[in-house]
Amino acid sequence: MVANLKLVPVVYTVEQQILVDKFNALPFKSKTGDFWKNTHKGEYADVKEAIKEHYLKSQNYTCPYCKQYIVVGHLGVWDAEHIIAKDENPQFMFEPKNLCVSCKDCNGSKSNKEVLVKPSRTRRKFPEDPDDYKFCHPHFHDYAEHIRIIEVAGFYMPLTEKGIALIEICGLLRFVLKCGGYNMVDNSVGNVVVQLGNKLMEAQTPAEQVYLMTLIGSVVEKGLESAALAGLDAMMA
Ligand SMILES: [Zn+2]
């Protein structure tokens, strides 16, 4: 049984909560994604830093998407991350369950990509049902139920549709490419895994997904030869 590592939402101090309430009380149209980055950067700097410090500790210096463990003193290597993008839904800018910290690569890939099953720019209530989300959510889902990490190959094996969506949204196939370059994995194996991973993203049926996942597991664990026996040649044609 994998320990439940869901995040602990940030609790604001009295002073921080006053600023958060001030933002929340703004007219809907005055709330914008660049609020704490540009227009009110100085005023909200402490709130932003408190958010980063809280989640870094709560997450044990681990990115909630790629699970890399990065311990450095400089907060700048981490991004305060809005799980529902703040440019799309600025109304959830300070919602504790919409916040975490992530590594810059995951945040860069995720950018403003849609994570809601039913996107709405005018939604008032923060979506709290795990099934409101397309991917596995750092606060609402148990990562290990959705993705298995095969560390030696730098590969993220999706176990569910939400796992596939997370790999796609955060660009987690990049680790296979990087490992190939460092010879941690035979290059040909890395390339095949990337190609199979791409096919997995396009798979139309659950059966196709299961078949591709089996092939990927076989390639990663036993090499290309045994995978060929499982029908790899036909698949790559
Ligand atoms: Zn990451």
Side-chain angles (χ1 to χ4, degrees):
M1 183 79 184
V2 177
N4 190 337
L5 295 172
K6 283 177 196 167
L7 300 188
V8 178
V10 65
V11 177
Y12 297 116
T13 64
V14 173
E15 293 79 16
Q16 291 160 0
Q17 189 65 51
I18 290 169
L19 287 166
V20 169
D21 290 345
K22 192 172 142 189
F23 172 82
N24 288 340
L26 289 172
F28 201 83
K29 282 183 180 166
S30 303
K31 292 173 183 159
T32 58
D34 67 351
F35 187 83
W36 79 5
K37 208 163 60 184
N38 298 325
T39 53
H40 293 70
K41 189 176 176 182
E43 192 182 358
Y44 282 78
D46 286 349
V47 180
K48 187 175 180 182
E49 197 172 316
I51 288 168
K52 279 177 110 172
E53 281 180 354
H54 166 82
Y55 285 104
L56 265 180
K57 283 184 193 139
S58 172
Q59 294 171 212
N60 191 27
Y61 295 84
T62 304
C63 175
Y65 301 130
C66 68
K67 295 292 174 184
Q68 281 198 103
Y69 176 62
I70 309 169
V71 180
V72 281
H74 186 23
L75 282 181
V77 304
W78 290 93
D79 282 338
E81 148 73 356
H82 292 83
I83 298 161
I84 301 175
K86 66 183 184 315
D87 287 336
E88 305 298 319
N89 289 90
Q91 65 271 40
F92 305 131
M93 173 93 72
F94 297 106
E95 162 57 50
K97 286 181 184 166
N98 195 41
L99 290 163
C100 62
V101 288
S102 75
C103 77
K104 287 203 173 290
D105 286 353
C106 284
N107 197 27
S109 172
K110 186 171 166 287
S111 184
N112 286 340
K113 286 179 189 153
E114 188 57 63
V115 299
L116 289 171
V117 175
K118 291 179 185 164
S120 164
R121 301 294 159 257
T122 54
R123 188 192 290 269
R124 303 278 164 162
K125 194 174 172 298
F126 178 70
E128 298 237 15
D129 182 341
D131 284 333
D132 287 332
Y133 294 85
K134 290 201 276 192
F135 76 159
C136 76
H137 188 292
H139 285 274
F140 300 139
H141 295 105
D142 188 343
Y143 191 92
E145 286 177 11
H146 299 274
I147 290 179
R148 182 160 71 92
I149 302 177
I150 302 166
E151 287 184 30
V152 66
F155 187 72
Y156 294 73
M157 175 90 76
L159 305 176
T160 63
E161 288 199 4
K162 288 188 198 298
I164 292 177
L166 177 66
I167 289 167
E168 197 169 31
I169 288 169
C170 295
L172 299 184
L173 285 175
R174 69 182 182 269
F175 290 97
V176 177
L177 295 166
K178 200 159 66 179
C179 285
Y182 286 113
N183 289 327
M184 281 169 69
V185 191
D186 182 302
N187 268 337
S188 58
V189 172
N191 289 337
V192 169
V193 170
V194 170
Q195 287 182 54
L196 289 172
N198 288 337
K199 284 180 187 288
L200 184 60
M201 298 302 166
E202 296 159 6
Q204 300 294 318
T205 65
E208 205 178 334
Q209 288 172 359
V210 169
Y211 181 63
L212 283 163
M213 284 193 267
T214 308
L215 271 182
I216 290 168
S218 183
V219 170
V220 168
E221 279 162 20
K222 297 173 208 149
L224 288 173
E225 250 174 68
S226 70
L229 295 174
L232 178 69
D233 288 345
M235 205 63 210
M236 302 300 287

